[in-house]
Amino acid sequence: GEAAAPRGGSAAVQLAAQAARASARLDDGPAVRTALDRTAAALDRQDAGRPADHHFVFDGRKLAGYTATSLAGLGDPAGERVAREVVEQSAGGPARRLATARIDLGLIVARTGRPDAGRTGLRSPRELLGEGSEGIGRLFWRRSNAMRG
């Protein structure tokens, strides 16, 4: 996929980010880091001609979220700092991004044996996304089951 994606396009960025998450699910730390490096490089090459909020442009602010999710999948303590930054940056922003960062933070601190360290940033799945939000259960299930390995 990545090789076929147009250079400078968002597809290359998205595919590299998805490769990082997939590698985390396979518990392949070196592949995660390589894919995150490719994601950052592809993001740097992304065409600047479209506004960042355009539907078909990868929003560079999402890279930290992909990094936190990938590192959470590995149980890498380095992901805690990234997840906390995403929580701070996402406050008042997209609810799903904030919810994902909080879940990633909880998974990281739980996997590193410090479940109380994430307590202040975590809430119930319904509160994470807000009343009436779709995908609450799916998001929480996907994150928690992906880390069980």
Side-chain angles (χ1 to χ4, degrees):
E2 285 179 70
R7 186 173 171 85
S10 286
V13 183
Q14 185 67 44
L15 288 166
Q18 292 295 341
R21 290 191 342 184
S23 296
R25 289 185 177 174
L26 296 172
D27 202 29
D28 187 344
V32 166
R33 286 165 185 78
T34 299
L36 289 172
D37 287 345
R38 287 194 320 270
T39 305
L43 184 60
D44 287 343
R45 289 189 302 269
Q46 185 169 258
D47 295 331
R50 293 185 186 158
D53 62 350
H54 188 280
H55 181 71
F56 293 109
V57 174
F58 185 90
D59 181 352
R61 296 172 295 183
K62 294 191 321 188
L63 179 56
Y66 276 93
T67 301
T69 296
S70 298
L71 295 177
L74 294 175
D76 187 330
E80 180 178 348
R81 178 188 53 79
V82 179
R84 288 187 187 281
E85 288 174 6
V86 176
V87 167
E88 285 180 27
Q89 293 168 359
S90 299
R96 189 174 190 97
R97 194 174 297 170
L98 178 59
T100 299
R102 286 178 172 162
I103 291 168
D104 289 338
L105 175 59
L107 292 170
I108 292 167
V109 297
R111 286 189 78 178
T112 57
R114 302 174 306 107
D116 288 343
R119 182 171 294 180
T120 59
L122 299 173
R123 294 177 174 77
S124 71
R126 180 155 310 281
E127 190 176 348
L128 286 172
L129 292 176
E131 293 297 321
S133 295
E134 295 183 19
I136 294 168
R138 187 172 58 248
L139 173 67
F140 191 75
W141 179 89
R142 186 173 64 232
R143 289 285 186 265
S144 61
N145 283 314
M147 304 307 145
R148 287 189 183 157

